[in-house]
Amino acid sequence: MDRRRLLLLAGSGLVTVVAAACGGKGGASATTAAATTADARTGTTTTAGAAPGAALECVTEIPQETGGPYPGDGSNGPNVLTESGIVRQDIRSSFGSASGTAEGVPLTIELTVVDAADGCTPLPGAAVYAWHCDRDGNYSLYSEAVAEENYLRGVQVADESGAVRFTSIYPGCYAGRWPHVHFEVYPTVDAATGPDEAVKTSQLAFPQDACETVYATSGYETSVSNLARLSLETDNVFGDDGGALQLATMGGSVDSGYTATLVVGV
């Protein structure tokens, strides 16, 4: 078993089954510990959900992609992952000493993390760090206009069905890139401290029709012309296959907010 799968199985508590079969002492207590994660950065405890979600259509492993120039994970400057408050569901506002809030069409991002090599078994306890630009195409911590903010960045722990959910805003489209969300998958929340511990780095793509509808609303004016010059097929990340394994399924509307869902095979 390779390092990536072993880390994820250990993080989800599934490796305790192997330990018990070999006479280990983990047993039920180790499995319970895996389902409840103490987060030293927030002083809170996250417990996996009580019931798995509906059966998922199995997917192949999602492509490994670049974290881009604005990851905020310590690989090229600031590391928001080590800051108290980064584990949160609502990522629209900055935390800590920053106080800004990103404006835009409401968006829920729902990623379901599964083991693609094992029949798409859900991976409860895995942690996902997600980040994206604001409606003006700026990235907190990096872009001059929002360098003092840390909004639109957060970590969530997968529930029993492998799902994580973020409350955010629909990102804008900046020159040269199709609208997207970056994410890194970690075996546990305690391991989510830097890119070297990530078992997968990838990106979620948005469907063109949803983008066009959102960008017709106030505040997204610059995204209209930027999107018109791009396509999934010519994007430098999704162009290999048109984002076949990374294209979100969308639901909702401008008024009620959108939900973008994606099964992430790792």
Side-chain angles (χ1 to χ4, degrees):
M1 187 180 296
D2 62 31
R3 174 180 178 274
R4 175 182 60 81
R5 288 195 66 209
L6 185 60
L7 283 171
L8 281 165
L9 288 173
S12 68
L14 296 178
V15 78
T16 60
V17 176
V18 179
C22 296
K25 297 182 180 180
S29 62
T31 304
T32 301
T36 302
T37 305
D39 177 22
R41 284 165 288 175
T42 62
T44 61
T45 299
T46 302
T47 304
L56 298 169
E57 180 179 349
C58 197
V59 296
T60 56
E61 185 174 338
I62 198 167
Q64 178 78 9
E65 304 288 11
T66 176
Y70 314 115
D73 61 3
S75 58
N76 67 351
N79 187 355
V80 75
L81 292 174
T82 60
E83 296 185 16
S84 176
I86 187 60
V87 181
R88 68 224 184 99
Q89 181 174 16
D90 192 335
I91 61 175
R92 292 173 294 182
S93 296
S94 293
F95 60 93
S97 60
S99 60
T101 297
E103 301 294 335
V105 172
L107 173 70
T108 298
I109 304 164
E110 181 173 318
L111 307 177
T112 301
V113 185
V114 299
D115 187 345
D118 187 26
C120 290
T121 303
L123 291 168
V128 177
Y129 167 45
W131 72 97
H132 63 82
C133 70
D134 61 21
R135 69 180 179 185
D136 296 315
N138 293 321
Y139 281 88
S140 65
L141 301 176
Y142 292 89
S143 302
E144 184 176 358
V146 292
E148 302 304 315
E149 304 294 345
N150 53 27
Y151 57 45
L152 305 182
R153 300 177 184 274
V155 172
Q156 279 286 281
V157 181
D159 64 18
E160 195 170 337
S161 63
V164 297
R165 298 169 185 84
F166 297 92
T167 300
S168 192
I169 57 100
Y170 207 100
C173 178
Y174 54 89
R177 277 305 317 277
W178 189 261
H180 60 282
V181 172
H182 294 268
F183 61 89
E184 293 172 341
V185 180
Y186 291 85
T188 66
V189 70
D190 290 334
T193 57
D196 291 343
E197 301 303 320
V199 296
K200 178 65 69 174
T201 301
S202 196
Q203 298 179 28
L204 171 152
F206 291 95
Q208 183 172 349
D209 56 351
C211 293
E212 291 175 343
T213 300
V214 171
Y215 296 161
T217 64
S218 176
Y220 288 93
E221 287 80 7
T222 60
S223 294
V224 176
S225 57
N226 288 334
L227 185 71
R229 302 186 185 99
L230 301 168
S231 72
L232 280 164
E233 290 69 27
T234 60
D235 184 72
N236 62 13
V237 170
F238 305 123
D240 292 344
D241 58 3
L245 295 173
Q246 297 158 280
L247 189 62
T249 299
M250 302 296 295
S253 67
V254 168
D255 292 334
S256 64
Y258 282 91
T259 297
T261 61
L262 183 69
V263 179
V264 178
V266 297

